[in-house]
Amino acid sequence: MTNDSSPNEQQLEAAFQARIDAEEKIEPKDWMPERYRKNLIRQISQHAHSEVIGMQPEGNWITRAPTLHRKAVLLAKVQDECGHGLYLYSATETLGITREELIEALHSGAAKYASIFNYPSLTWADIGAIGWLVDGAAIVNQVSLQRTSYGPYARGMVRICKEESFHQRQGYHIMMTLMQGSDEQRAMAQDAVNRFWWPSLMMFGPHDAESAHSAQSMTWKIKRQSNDELRQKFVDQSVEQAEVIGLTLPDPDLKWNEERGHYDFGEIDWDEFNRVISGSGPCNRQRIAHHVAAHEDGAWVREAIAAHEAKKQQRASKAA
């Protein structure tokens, strides 16, 4: 609540917060503070952009997957990610912003997406690591978002989480299969984990005390758990999963803390995180350039749809 808000606005915000505290869902036509709306646009659109940009490192391997079965599964997964982007863009549009504005913000750099997708997928094992670690981290974050305070976002997350669970199992199965293979295959799997482990931890964002949005998002119950809580949960589950198939997580400080009941782990390279977020990661420019090109190549489809809809409306008007 801002100091310069009018008494009526203060009453509206108090009533709004009371609804949040009572676990009521906020719907598109409900009154909401402008800051709440902007916070949601930032978070949901960032999530949507991540799903769509995340198709690139995996789509690159569809034609090079080792078997026909693996090709079919990976193709289905990439299609799922596209669908997730559609759900999330649609949810964002209920907040009074257009798809065109969202895409322009992505292309201009005003909107962000998950830093993990600015790393290259160099081997088939990377597809396994992305499924196991990246989608595993996404699930940890997104399960709690099924209870987020904004109705369209919460409902979209229910379906997305079901599909992400399949993606995580698909990636883990790839890693498990490689670890049962040759020395070269096991080394390839370990190399992929070595490269994707720390960027996966970065996916949860900065420490809570350094996050610009976490505290307010928690108050509005847009987020239900803090960055550090979610990161700890991910580490705890990943250690056990790695041990089962014989992988080693690349962190010499990783050890069980009996007093805390959690694993302690080393400090993230936040300088690297900030470089990637600011646009200087290994694949930042490549990812955006590819998206811009695809968007421009598809302009004729959007124009054709708009023309078709205009004709339908003209016919409907004449018939009326």
Side-chain angles (χ1 to χ4, degrees):
M1 187 180 301
T2 58
N3 294 329
D4 58 354
S5 58
S6 68
N8 184 53
E9 288 176 326
Q10 293 177 10
Q11 291 172 356
L12 287 170
E13 291 203 17
F16 176 83
Q17 188 62 50
R19 291 187 62 193
I20 297 290
D21 295 341
E23 299 292 341
E24 292 184 29
K25 287 287 183 281
I26 306 302
E27 300 298 341
K29 293 184 179 180
D30 294 342
W31 185 90
M32 64 186 72
E34 182 63 13
R35 291 176 300 131
Y36 177 84
R37 188 184 74 86
K38 288 183 176 179
N39 197 322
L40 278 171
I41 289 173
R42 178 195 58 79
Q43 179 170 325
I44 306 175
S45 67
Q46 179 175 306
H47 192 167
H49 298 325
S50 299
E51 297 282 358
V52 172
I53 295 294
M55 296 165 63
Q56 292 187 37
E58 294 180 306
N60 187 45
W61 277 90
I62 291 174
T63 59
R64 295 186 287 161
T67 68
L68 181 60
H69 174 73
R70 292 292 190 189
K71 291 178 195 293
V73 172
L74 182 57
L75 179 61
K77 181 189 178 185
V78 173
Q79 288 176 318
D80 282 348
E81 307 293 5
C82 182
H84 298 174
L86 175 62
Y87 307 152
L88 293 163
Y89 281 132
S90 298
T92 314
E93 286 176 304
T94 66
L95 292 159
I97 189 169
T98 66
R99 189 79 56 93
E100 290 74 17
E101 290 175 297
L102 296 173
I103 299 302
E104 173 57 31
L106 172 65
H107 290 173
S108 70
K112 304 298 183 184
Y113 55 88
S115 59
I116 189 74
F117 298 121
N118 289 310
Y119 291 86
S121 51
L122 303 177
T123 69
W124 173 248
D126 287 14
I127 302 304
I130 289 171
W132 172 39
L133 295 176
V134 177
D135 292 320
I139 291 170
V140 168
N141 182 48
Q142 293 170 9
V143 164
S144 66
L145 290 176
Q146 294 176 105
R147 298 183 294 112
T148 192
S149 60
Y150 189 57
Y153 192 22
R155 290 188 290 272
M157 291 313 307
V158 173
R159 180 167 181 173
I160 289 174
C161 283
K162 289 178 180 178
E163 293 175 352
E164 291 289 4
S165 179
F166 154 73
H167 299 166
Q168 193 269 348
R169 291 196 296 272
Q170 174 249 4
Y172 190 68
H173 187 264
I174 291 174
M175 302 305 278
M176 179 181 69
T177 302
L178 289 171
M179 291 302 291
Q180 294 171 347
S182 65
D183 290 343
E184 291 81 1
Q185 287 172 320
R186 289 194 292 272
M188 183 170 65
Q190 184 62 60
D191 175 67
V193 171
N194 291 347
R195 287 183 287 107
F196 275 92
W197 173 248
W198 291 106
S200 296
L201 295 190
M202 296 176 194
M203 285 178 65
F204 297 96
H207 290 306
D208 300 322
E210 299 165 6
S211 175
H213 305 284
S214 282
Q216 186 60 71
S217 292
M218 294 283 285
T219 299
W220 281 328
K221 298 187 179 179
I222 294 173
K223 290 180 62 173
R224 305 300 300 233
Q225 291 180 281
S226 71
N227 294 350
D228 289 327
E229 289 174 328
L230 294 167
R231 189 166 17 242
Q232 182 68 68
K233 184 177 180 180
F234 173 69
V235 170
D236 290 346
Q237 74 177 30
S238 297
V239 172
E240 297 179 3
Q241 292 169 352
E243 288 176 349
V244 168
I245 58 176
L247 284 164
T248 301
L249 298 179
D251 181 357
D253 296 324
L254 189 64
K255 61 181 179 179
W256 179 253
N257 186 317
E258 191 67 38
E259 183 178 346
R260 292 199 311 118
H262 295 286
Y263 281 92
D264 292 335
F265 55 96
E267 185 63 18
I268 292 168
D269 184 347
W270 293 113
D271 289 337
E272 177 182 339
F273 172 77
N274 290 324
R275 283 196 305 272
V276 176
I277 285 295
S278 65
S280 297
C283 298
N284 287 68
R285 293 172 181 80
Q286 175 186 334
R287 299 289 186 242
I288 293 299
H290 184 87
H291 193 281
V292 169
H295 187 71
E296 291 175 349
D297 287 346
W300 69 271
V301 178
R302 296 189 297 276
E303 291 168 1
I305 292 173
H308 178 67
E309 288 299 318
K311 287 183 178 180
K312 281 177 60 177
Q313 291 177 8
Q314 288 175 359
R315 286 195 294 267
S317 297
K318 289 180 181 180

